[in-house]
Amino acid sequence: MKSFTHYLLFNTPERVQFINITEKVQDLVTQSGIKEGLCLVNAMHITASVFINDDEPGLHRDFKRWLDELAPHEPINMYHHNKTGEDNADAHLKRQIMGREVVVAVTNGRLDLGPWEQIFYGEFDGRRPKRVLVKSYWRINLDIPSFLQA
Amino acid sequence: MKSFTHYLLFNTPERVQFINITEKVQDLVTQSGIKEGLCLVNAMHITASVFINDDEPGLHRDFKRWLDELAPHEPINMYHHNKTGEDNADAHLKRQIMGREVVVAVTNGRLDLGPWEQIFYGEFDGRRPKRVLVKSYWRINLDIPSFLQA
Amino acid sequence: MKSFTHYLLFNTPERVQFINITEKVQDLVTQSGIKEGLCLVNAMHITASVFINDDEPGLHRDFKRWLDELAPHEPINMYHHNKTGEDNADAHLKRQIMGREVVVAVTNGRLDLGPWEQIFYGEFDGRRPKRVLVKSYWRINLDIPSFLQA
């Protein structure tokens, strides 16, 4: 029995960090033996993202500055959420802009990505273990005669 | 014949309101008898969201304030869309930040959510009936001998 | 053998432009003969979006102004990414707000959309060819007797 559900673990040294996970996800799809289907990749934590964009360090600096302008980390006490003892309200907001998940087509056993598309784990409140779920979903290749189809 | 497509109806008393629908979605998955697959949950209206985040009232207040800073409801006439007689242009914008849909893995008959992940209906122009679609999608558990697989 | 994966090509005359692709996507679903399932529609380029919202020209003007306030195109040199010779850093940011993809339910052979839901290709760095992937994914309509189900 093949496994189609996998969990990746991340524990980033930085509070905010982006990690390219494209190869990891492709490896899991390859192991699963899925040729045609969809692959869901989602953060399982609500202060982290999975998103697709460019693997260019300058752009990543731009993302970090921009997100901190839109949802500043400080002052901590500007957020109601942080009255619970947390200091990560901004991380919950940033993750909504960057998104929780991506759904990627699998075609001929490969992630069907455009030329510059790379999958990233986006951490906004790191320094502790967090999981990403990868679930591949397949289409059975049946050539059903048309007169048998609903 | 089991039904895999369901529609939830919401009519919020507030213009902007977040409702935890996690249990409702799990109930539908349970009723459908799906053990392995994906579950799509999406707003069917373009001034509402389905999103996953924390069920913490302070954070929800932060979301509302933050979204109103990024896309203020007033002045109404600052938006071209509102010249059509609407007053909800801001709701169309807010929903893009919070997202239209989530795709959640179903594993062993349960929504495969992280420890704090909760599914919310996010209303940005309420006080009238709106629908959310829940579609569960399953994988057939066939143990196909490897020599028969494509 | 039916094809379930399609690629749409766009080459917009404007740098920023929104194109309603709902009918194109419905045509592909119809051609595929899928009655029940999910349809993934995603931009294959990281300065473009696929999103669902209203087909109202005033709202589209609001979106363009709003996105340019949140992530201005100019001054070009305010972005690290643009030091690579690009001028499209803002397009990478705007696309995160508008999203990469939508997953739409297919019910009775039709995109199961709400009354005002329309699917758009959102271009933020146009004037060159870019692709959108449309992958339809089906559920086999088997009436499995309950005593045979896991």
Side-chain angles (χ1 to χ4, degrees):
Chain A
M1 176 63 184
K2 284 172 188 171
S3 175
F4 300 86
T5 309
H6 302 269
Y7 306 93
L8 301 172
L9 194 69
F10 297 96
N11 193 338
T12 65
E14 304 289 329
R15 189 167 57 79
V16 178
Q17 198 169 331
F18 303 149
I19 299 171
N20 190 330
I21 61 173
T22 316
E23 239 176 282
K24 273 199 165 78
V25 176
Q26 176 62 59
D27 285 350
L28 294 175
V29 169
T30 303
Q31 284 171 38
S32 300
I34 289 161
K35 300 297 177 202
E36 287 291 319
L38 301 178
C39 180
L40 168 70
V41 190
N42 71 264
M44 299 187 78
H45 294 257
I46 52 194
T47 51
S49 286
V50 170
F51 66 93
I52 287 181
N53 216 301
D54 199 359
D55 197 355
E56 199 280 296
L59 182 66
H60 292 191
R61 289 178 64 188
D62 292 328
F63 269 128
K64 287 169 192 170
R65 179 195 52 75
W66 180 63
L67 290 167
D68 218 55
E69 276 171 20
L70 293 183
H73 180 59
E74 295 182 316
I76 301 294
N77 66 7
M78 75 182 277
Y79 297 103
H80 293 288
H81 180 58
N82 290 341
K83 292 176 187 163
T84 64
E86 299 281 355
D87 68 350
N88 64 5
D90 64 303
H92 289 271
L93 274 49
K94 284 164 174 152
R95 110 78 170 257
Q96 287 307 124
I97 288 180
M98 298 304 278
R100 168 188 179 258
E101 79 217 10
V102 295
V103 177
V104 181
V106 177
T107 307
N108 298 325
R110 304 288 304 171
L111 296 168
D112 199 341
L113 296 170
W116 301 100
E117 283 193 299
Q118 296 287 306
I119 310 173
F120 289 91
Y121 174 66
E123 177 62 84
F124 303 109
D125 184 36
R127 301 169 186 157
R128 52 204 177 95
K130 290 188 180 176
R131 287 189 304 162
V132 165
L133 183 152
V134 183
K135 187 142 194 158
S136 302
Y137 202 63
W138 60 319
R139 184 169 65 76
I140 302 174
N141 286 310
L142 296 178
D143 273 304
I144 306 177
S146 57
F147 67 89
L148 279 180
Q149 292 179 39
Chain B
M1 177 63 185
K2 285 171 188 170
S3 175
F4 299 86
T5 310
H6 302 269
Y7 306 93
L8 301 172
L9 194 69
F10 297 96
N11 192 338
T12 64
E14 305 288 329
R15 189 168 57 81
V16 179
Q17 197 170 332
F18 303 149
I19 299 172
N20 190 330
I21 60 173
T22 316
E23 239 176 282
K24 273 197 165 77
V25 177
Q26 177 61 59
D27 285 351
L28 294 174
V29 169
T30 303
Q31 284 170 37
S32 299
I34 290 160
K35 300 298 178 199
E36 287 291 317
L38 302 178
C39 179
L40 167 69
V41 190
N42 71 265
M44 298 187 77
H45 294 258
I46 52 194
T47 50
S49 286
V50 170
F51 67 93
I52 287 180
N53 216 301
D54 199 358
D55 196 355
E56 199 279 298
L59 183 66
H60 293 193
R61 289 177 63 185
D62 293 328
F63 268 128
K64 287 170 192 170
R65 179 195 53 75
W66 179 63
L67 291 167
D68 217 56
E69 276 171 20
L70 294 182
H73 181 59
E74 295 182 317
I76 301 294
N77 66 5
M78 75 182 278
Y79 297 104
H80 293 287
H81 180 58
N82 290 341
K83 292 175 187 164
T84 63
E86 298 281 355
D87 68 351
N88 64 6
D90 64 303
H92 290 271
L93 274 49
K94 285 164 174 151
R95 109 77 170 255
Q96 287 307 123
I97 289 181
M98 298 305 278
R100 169 188 179 260
E101 79 217 10
V102 295
V103 178
V104 181
V106 177
T107 307
N108 297 324
R110 303 288 305 170
L111 295 168
D112 200 341
L113 295 169
W116 301 100
E117 283 193 300
Q118 296 286 306
I119 310 172
F120 289 91
Y121 175 66
E123 176 63 82
F124 302 109
D125 184 35
R127 303 169 186 158
R128 50 202 178 99
K130 289 189 180 176
R131 287 189 305 160
V132 164
L133 182 151
V134 183
K135 188 143 193 158
S136 302
Y137 202 64
W138 60 319
R139 183 169 65 75
I140 302 174
N141 286 311
L142 296 177
D143 273 306
I144 306 176
S146 58
F147 67 89
L148 279 180
Q149 292 179 37
Chain C
M1 177 65 184
K2 284 172 189 171
S3 175
F4 300 84
T5 309
H6 302 269
Y7 306 92
L8 300 173
L9 195 69
F10 297 95
N11 193 338
T12 65
E14 305 289 328
R15 190 167 57 80
V16 179
Q17 197 169 332
F18 302 150
I19 299 171
N20 190 331
I21 61 173
T22 315
E23 239 176 283
K24 273 197 164 78
V25 177
Q26 176 62 59
D27 285 351
L28 294 174
V29 169
T30 303
Q31 283 171 38
S32 299
I34 289 160
K35 300 298 179 201
E36 287 291 317
L38 301 179
C39 180
L40 168 69
V41 190
N42 72 264
M44 298 187 78
H45 293 258
I46 52 193
T47 50
S49 286
V50 171
F51 66 93
I52 287 181
N53 216 301
D54 198 359
D55 197 354
E56 199 279 298
L59 182 67
H60 292 192
R61 290 177 64 187
D62 292 328
F63 269 128
K64 287 170 191 169
R65 180 195 52 75
W66 180 63
L67 291 167
D68 218 56
E69 276 172 19
L70 294 182
H73 181 59
E74 295 181 317
I76 301 295
N77 66 6
M78 74 182 278
Y79 297 104
H80 293 287
H81 180 57
N82 291 340
K83 292 175 186 163
T84 64
E86 299 281 355
D87 68 352
N88 64 5
D90 64 303
H92 290 271
L93 275 49
K94 285 164 174 151
R95 109 76 169 256
Q96 288 306 125
I97 288 181
M98 298 305 278
R100 168 189 179 259
E101 80 218 8
V102 295
V103 178
V104 181
V106 177
T107 307
N108 297 325
R110 304 288 306 171
L111 296 168
D112 200 341
L113 296 169
W116 300 100
E117 284 194 300
Q118 296 287 305
I119 309 173
F120 288 91
Y121 175 66
E123 176 63 84
F124 303 110
D125 184 36
R127 302 170 187 157
R128 52 203 176 96
K130 291 188 179 177
R131 288 190 302 162
V132 165
L133 182 152
V134 183
K135 188 142 194 158
S136 302
Y137 202 63
W138 60 319
R139 182 170 66 75
I140 301 174
N141 286 309
L142 296 178
D143 274 304
I144 306 175
S146 57
F147 66 89
L148 280 180
Q149 293 179 37

